[in-house]
Amino acid sequence: MAPGNGEESDRCKRGRGAGDCKGDDGENGPDKRFLVAAGSACADGEAGDDGTGDYDISVSGDETDGGCAGEDLIYYYSDDDDEEAEVGASVIQRDEKRYVVLSEDDVHDRQGKDTAEVAEVLSVPPGFAAALLRHYRWGKTRLKEEWFTDDRRIRDAVGLPADGAPAPAELSREPLVCAICFGSFGAGLTRAAACSSHFYCDECWRGYIRAAVEDGPRCLSLRCPEPSCSAAVVRELVDAVADGADTDRYARFALRSYVDESGGGVKWCPGRDSPRAVEFLGCAGDATDVFCDCRHGFCWACGEEAHRPVSCATVRAWLLKTSSDSASANWVLANTKHCPKCRRPIEKNQGCNHMTCRAPCGHHFCWICLEPLGRAHTACNAYRPRPGRAAIVDSKGALPPVEEQRRDQAKASLDRYMYHYERWAANHRSLEQVLKDMAALQRSELGRMAGMVRASAMDLRFLTRAYEQIAGCRRVLRWAYAHGYFLDPERDAAKRGLFDHLQSDANRSLERLHGCAEGERKELCAAAAAKGESSAEIAERYSRYKKKLENLTEVTRRYFENLVKAFETDLAEVKPAK
């Protein structure tokens, strides 16, 4: 976007894919075509003070004023979203949210309502209703249908008496001898499960239940201690005789069973220490990445980390590849590098890839490719395989020995893996840092910043949207490198060219956005805290920062939409080689 022409360029973004630019009130309907041709810059497209000059978002065609006439690859896409949709919508989620995040209280309430409904309809105690629901994987509709068709079969399967209302914990009506410890107990001091035939003292029941609970979730299917009896031991009996710790553990297993045994419609969030569950509302074939309130994203289909738009098969293959290498070597590769100027070892501890060596060196370089940072820094996303010695012939036209060819091929394969792994790991670390920064913003940073720049918390939502966009883009870019590794350098050379072009555009835009959200935000807060400027000057600085970050968020979203849609169509723009 050229300096001084931001308003016109913004109108062009919302106009048609080719032909004249139309303003907001133009004749364009809701169906629009967009393109991004960022591989080359317009003649007047040098970066301005707002930092958006490296991005050329314009319409294409001979009639376009101020357009770029370069030959770079362009990728078209349609945008069916409403123009009033919230800027910065996450690129990693579908337009329609097809899942619901449930807290443990939500799960408990749902479980209680289903249990109470079945208990009332079937006229059984809640403990037996829960046992019946677990047998039918919490499918209450199917349970009720089959119960009224053949309840005898279901009673036998679950461990209920053949007829009548079962008693979950019947007390003895006369003095009896405990069938386990052989102690004599008076009337009402021994209990039986649903069978109402085998009575045991509370101490023996307590030990029996403790052993079952220690065995894990299988305690929910506990039966009468009598080997020949299949009567169910249910929640009411456990609550009556077990101690507090065992009762709590049993209740925990019972709660988790509502999700674990639901048949896949509800899943626990696999995030670290996350107590939430996610219910998918769409068809199983439409399963995609879902995002819990704890900010952990995972794939509904395979359970791995969110990896849209890369396929589950690619993720499995990549994780298998990375797991076969040394963990220590991977850590060193992903976390430490030497400054390309002074060779001082550096560990990356921030989110963006703009590195600054300590004084007195002060060298600025890219963490990914180690090249100096500047206007010409655009080459760290295009993989360029090193020519093997097998492709080199001597003066007599002879190839190197077979052993050397194999060695060179192995070296080239290792180089290709290291190239993609390094960038995959770097984006993962950046994503983790972004999530930490987002948590800090929610805790206190937004409130502190609002006080410094004298803005409301609502007015700072643009910053939250920017970080959400960065997190989504880091996920996409991370798995894009895994996908790139499996593109054959020769067979998929044409696809690789388009892939590198789109990825380079997206990465460059993301680095600019991340640097603005992270670095320039801190500079703004530092200037406000120093009180060296007047309130009006701080307000003006804040206004410029807000406008710049909003523009960069929108630009980055567009670039990553290109990249995502290229994956989803398997780079269909590239015709297969004949």
Side-chain angles (χ1 to χ4, degrees):
M1 190 180 300
N5 198 27
E7 182 178 355
E8 179 180 353
S9 297
D10 185 60
R11 288 196 299 267
C12 291
K13 283 194 295 181
R14 296 191 295 268
R16 292 185 249 180
D20 296 336
C21 288
K22 301 289 184 183
D24 292 342
D25 298 327
E27 299 177 358
N28 294 322
D31 292 333
K32 298 181 279 290
R33 299 288 291 178
F34 291 90
L35 64 88
V36 176
S40 61
C42 296
D44 59 344
E46 295 182 2
D49 293 338
D50 63 352
T52 60
D54 287 348
Y55 303 98
D56 172 14
I57 304 183
S58 59
V59 295
S60 175
D62 297 333
E63 301 177 6
T64 305
D65 291 336
C68 299
E71 295 294 330
D72 291 332
L73 291 168
I74 54 179
Y75 185 79
Y76 290 85
Y77 63 93
S78 8
D79 184 7
D80 297 326
D81 297 337
D82 191 333
E83 286 189 66
E84 296 181 358
E86 185 178 19
V87 176
S90 176
V91 74
I92 54 177
Q93 299 188 43
R94 302 287 185 181
D95 294 336
E96 180 183 358
K97 189 175 180 181
R98 294 174 293 179
Y99 58 89
V100 177
V101 178
L102 305 173
S103 65
E104 281 193 341
D105 290 340
D106 295 331
V107 174
H108 185 270
D109 291 344
R110 286 192 178 196
Q111 186 181 43
K113 290 178 181 178
D114 290 351
T115 302
E117 178 183 339
V118 169
E120 180 180 1
V121 172
L122 305 187
S123 299
V124 296
F128 289 111
L132 288 166
L133 283 166
R134 284 196 296 270
H135 182 71
Y136 279 89
R137 305 180 72 83
W138 293 95
K140 58 183 180 181
T141 302
R142 182 185 168 204
L143 165 61
K144 288 184 285 188
E145 289 176 353
E146 297 195 12
W147 175 272
F148 291 112
T149 301
D150 185 5
D151 67 307
R152 181 66 177 270
R153 176 180 58 84
I154 300 173
R155 287 171 179 269
D156 291 342
V158 177
L160 276 66
D163 51 29
E170 184 174 348
L171 293 172
S172 62
R173 298 180 181 179
E174 57 186 23
L176 291 175
V177 174
C178 174
I180 294 178
C181 67
F182 301 107
S184 297
F185 297 87
L189 296 180
T190 55
R191 304 172 189 268
C195 60
S196 301
S197 302
H198 308 108
F199 290 85
Y200 308 94
C201 68
D202 287 357
E203 188 63 30
C204 289
W205 271 119
R206 191 174 296 114
Y208 181 64
I209 292 173
R210 180 181 299 113
V213 168
E214 290 176 352
D215 196 31
R218 287 186 294 180
C219 65
L220 300 176
S221 301
L222 195 60
R223 300 302 174 96
C224 175
E226 170 60 38
S228 61
C229 181
S230 61
V233 176
V234 293
R235 180 73 173 268
E236 288 86 347
L237 179 55
V238 172
D239 290 343
V241 300
D243 59 26
D246 292 336
T247 300
D248 291 342
R249 292 187 64 188
Y250 185 94
R252 183 70 179 171
F253 290 137
L255 176 67
R256 294 193 65 86
S257 73
Y258 187 79
V259 175
D260 296 338
E261 301 177 13
S262 65
V266 185
K267 296 180 180 180
W268 292 109
C269 171
R272 184 179 303 173
D273 300 327
S274 176
R276 300 171 181 85
V278 180
E279 179 184 21
F280 192 73
L281 305 178
C283 299
D286 298 332
T288 183
D289 290 346
V290 298
F291 296 88
C292 180
D293 291 345
C294 70
R295 300 194 182 279
H296 179 77
F298 65 97
C299 174
W300 187 264
C302 68
E304 296 291 348
E305 292 183 34
H307 55 76
R308 182 191 176 212
V310 178
S311 68
C312 298
T314 299
V315 172
R316 285 192 296 268
W318 175 256
L319 294 178
L320 179 62
K321 172 68 178 176
T322 57
S323 65
S324 62
D325 295 290
S326 169
S328 59
N330 285 345
W331 188 92
V332 171
L333 175 64
N335 295 278
T336 63
K337 292 184 180 181
H338 290 82
C339 171
K341 183 177 180 181
C342 69
R343 305 304 298 168
R344 180 182 300 174
I346 295 176
E347 178 182 357
K348 187 172 184 286
N349 61 0
Q350 292 294 327
C352 72
N353 293 314
H354 182 156
M355 308 302 295
T356 304
C357 188
R358 290 181 179 178
C361 177
H363 182 58
H364 295 263
F365 64 95
C366 174
W367 173 260
I368 298 294
C369 65
L370 302 181
E371 292 294 329
L373 288 175
R375 297 184 187 277
H377 175 255
T378 60
C380 69
N381 280 288
Y383 172 67
R384 297 174 177 81
R386 296 172 52 185
R389 296 178 65 182
I392 304 174
V393 296
D394 59 20
S395 58
K396 298 181 180 180
L399 291 173
V402 176
E403 291 78 8
E404 293 190 19
Q405 292 184 39
R406 291 177 178 174
R407 188 182 305 114
D408 289 338
Q409 290 174 354
K411 174 62 176 174
S413 177
L414 178 61
D415 287 345
R416 189 162 64 92
Y417 167 71
M418 298 295 276
Y419 169 90
H420 291 92
Y421 175 80
E422 181 179 12
R423 286 152 178 78
W424 177 80
N427 277 286
H428 178 60
R429 284 183 55 83
S430 292
L431 172 60
E432 290 182 331
Q433 185 62 45
V434 169
L435 296 179
K436 291 179 181 178
D437 290 344
M438 291 174 69
L441 284 172
Q442 285 189 336
R443 285 195 306 269
S444 60
E445 289 294 318
L446 280 181
R448 187 170 66 88
M449 182 176 175
M452 288 180 174
V453 300
R454 297 185 179 180
S456 66
M458 290 294 293
D459 193 49
L460 290 175
R461 289 181 60 193
F462 74 93
L463 190 59
T464 303
R465 288 194 294 265
Y467 270 93
E468 289 174 350
Q469 186 68 48
I470 293 169
C473 293
R474 287 294 178 194
R475 287 191 181 96
V476 171
L477 200 59
R478 180 192 182 204
W479 290 108
Y481 284 110
H483 174 84
Y485 173 77
F486 293 104
L487 289 176
D488 187 88
E490 297 181 2
R491 184 185 66 247
D492 300 322
K495 284 188 175 183
R496 183 78 205 205
L498 178 57
F499 171 81
D500 285 339
H501 174 80
L502 295 173
Q503 192 178 34
S504 178
D505 287 346
N507 183 76
R508 184 175 56 209
S509 179
L510 175 58
E511 289 300 326
R512 181 68 64 86
L513 172 63
H514 201 165
C516 180
E518 185 177 72
E520 296 185 31
R521 173 176 62 88
K522 294 179 180 179
E523 293 176 2
L524 173 63
C525 291
K531 299 180 180 180
E533 300 179 3
S534 66
S535 299
E537 290 173 330
I538 291 296
E540 177 63 24
R541 183 194 286 257
Y542 166 72
S543 178
R544 290 197 306 267
Y545 173 74
K546 177 181 178 181
K547 182 178 180 180
K548 177 180 179 179
L549 191 61
E550 287 178 333
N551 288 339
L552 288 176
T553 302
E554 176 66 9
V555 168
T556 303
R557 183 173 72 92
R558 296 300 184 188
Y559 277 121
F560 273 84
E561 282 178 351
N562 289 350
L563 188 61
V564 166
K565 293 184 179 183
F567 277 107
E568 292 177 338
T569 59
D570 193 25
L571 300 169
E573 289 73 13
V574 178
K575 296 181 178 179
K578 297 182 179 179

